[in-house]
Amino acid sequence: MLKYKIKNYRFRLVIEVMILNIFGILVIGSANPAYQNKQIIGMVLGVIVMAITSLIDYEYYMKLPWPIYVFNVCMLAVIMLPIFGHDAKGAQRWIEVGGFKFQPSELAKILIILFFAYYLGKHYEHINQLKTIAICLLLVGVPLVLILKQPDLSTTIVTTMMFVFMMFAAGLSWKIVGGVIAVFIPLVIVLLNVILTKGETFLAHHQYLRIMAWLRPDDYPSEALQQINSIIAIGSGQLAGKGLFNSEAASLKNGGFIIEQHTDFIFAIVGEELGFLGCAFVIIMLLFITLECIWVAKRAKDMQGRLIAVGVAAIIANQAFVNICVNTGLMPNTGLTLPFVSYGLTSLVSMYIGIGLVLNVALQPRKYRSGVR
């Protein structure tokens, strides 16, 4: 701690995160009061963990990459065991011990960031070689497959995007990125056509229904109702909304028409009760937090620190983007929380750990000598 300077501590990032989290607690209290106190406890725990993490030199984790990787894989694999795994709504994504539930895939995102910050930071000079790319894909594929098997397709996709951003930040060539995009877009179009064809079998049934409800809501009214109600709720809020904790009979929230309104669809509650201004506030705060992380990445003292900050920025931005797109009907229903706003203790504390890592990277900025970086 003696080597750190208080002027390098990114208090602005801490304030932005806490403001957004407090805002989320207020909205959760309006959406489902039973979860508000738990989220307050989650915030207190998260702030403590963030403060501690911010003072631990990230280079310490860079000395333990393989134990981190093995622990991550084991943590995700143990969910498959009936003695630990907890099944809810057809998905086995939680570990339950003694009444305590924990979602490993949330912490797995942070552990993947740490491992690949080490690995890519060590091999970034060879990042465009086929061997390096193949090894990276193999290493990231193991935890991603375990997350996918839960099943949790949305977290798999968001984590994959985070990994791609880290690869790009490590120096992956634009030619390779362009080639992947050139293949990916036609592939998505083909897959959507296959999904629209009767008899397809490569998706789980609930995933198939969600995509079909998004593409053809009139043909799947019961499955599409959740997103339709979300869109109506956001639109009904107009500019300033109906107010937090309102008791209007016409409110979709009060009528119980928005499912998972304190978690996956909390953005719909923001739109209905705080209107366009509330939605804009959430988006702007998430943008500021992401930009702060990118600013820290730019000034990081080494590639490993840069990749940690980029990874945290990517997971916050990607997850927020997907959640808001789902709430507004731009993507199929996925089941992702909105960072620092939605209820979810594991998700919240994991995000605070990520912010703590970014703060430590900021405490060790790149040195400037004679005006040369």
Side-chain angles (χ1 to χ4, degrees), residues 1-2 60 66 104 160-161 194 196 240 242 261 306 321 329 335 356:
M1 291 177 59
L2 295 177
Y60 174 77
W66 294 106
T160 301
M161 291 302 299
V194 172
L196 288 170
K242 302 172 182 177
Q261 56 188 14
R306 175 184 297 180
F321 177 77

Side-chain angles (χ1 to χ4, degrees), residues 134-343:
I135 293 174
C136 288
L137 291 176
L138 178 63
L139 288 171
V140 78
V142 176
L144 287 179
V145 168
L146 290 172
I147 295 173
L148 184 62
K149 291 287 289 182
Q150 295 179 8
D152 195 348
L153 179 60
S154 55
T155 298
T156 305
I157 293 173
V158 168
T159 308
T160 301
M161 291 302 299
M162 175 198 74
F163 168 73
V164 170
F165 276 102
M166 291 182 70
M167 289 278 286
F168 181 72
L172 190 65
S173 171
W174 274 104
K175 294 180 181 179
I176 297 176
V177 175
V180 171
I181 294 174
V183 172
F184 179 74
I185 294 177
L187 181 61
V188 170
I189 295 173
V190 171
L191 288 176
L192 288 176
N193 285 329
V194 172
I195 291 170
L196 288 170
T197 303
K198 293 182 179 180
E200 67 79 28
T201 57
F202 69 91
L203 285 176
H205 184 62
H206 74 280
Q207 294 169 346
Y208 171 77
L209 288 177
R210 285 180 176 182
I211 293 175
M212 291 302 295
W214 176 61
L215 294 172
R216 296 177 177 173
D218 293 338
D219 296 337
Y220 296 84
S222 59
E223 287 77 14
L225 187 61
Q226 189 173 2
Q227 277 191 300
I228 292 173
N229 286 342
S230 174
I231 295 169
I232 294 173
I234 293 172
S236 68
Q238 298 184 33
L239 179 63
K242 302 172 182 177
L244 278 175
F245 309 102
N246 75 81
S247 57
E248 289 188 17
S251 167
L252 274 77
K253 180 208 73 175
N254 295 334
F257 292 103
I258 302 176
I259 305 172
E260 305 293 345
Q261 56 188 14
H262 61 294
T263 54
D264 305 344
F265 282 84
I266 197 165
F267 191 75
I269 305 302
V270 174
E272 182 177 57
E273 301 203 329
L274 298 170
F276 172 80
L277 296 178
C279 292
F281 173 79
V282 170
I283 294 171
I284 290 171
M285 292 304 298
L286 287 165
L287 177 62
F288 283 170
I289 292 170
T290 301
L291 292 177
E292 284 282 346
C293 293
I294 294 173
W295 186 91
V296 171
K298 183 179 179 182
R299 293 176 57 88
K301 69 176 183 179
D302 55 24
M303 179 60 75
Q304 293 173 336
R306 175 184 297 180
L307 291 172
I308 288 174
V310 167
V312 174
I315 203 66
I316 292 173
N318 286 328
Q319 190 162 319
F321 177 77
V322 172
N323 177 276
I324 293 172
C325 283
V326 168
N327 276 251
T328 53
L330 297 176
M331 284 186 179
N333 191 357
T334 58
L336 276 177
T337 57
L338 186 60
F340 301 110
V341 181
S342 296
Y343 172 77

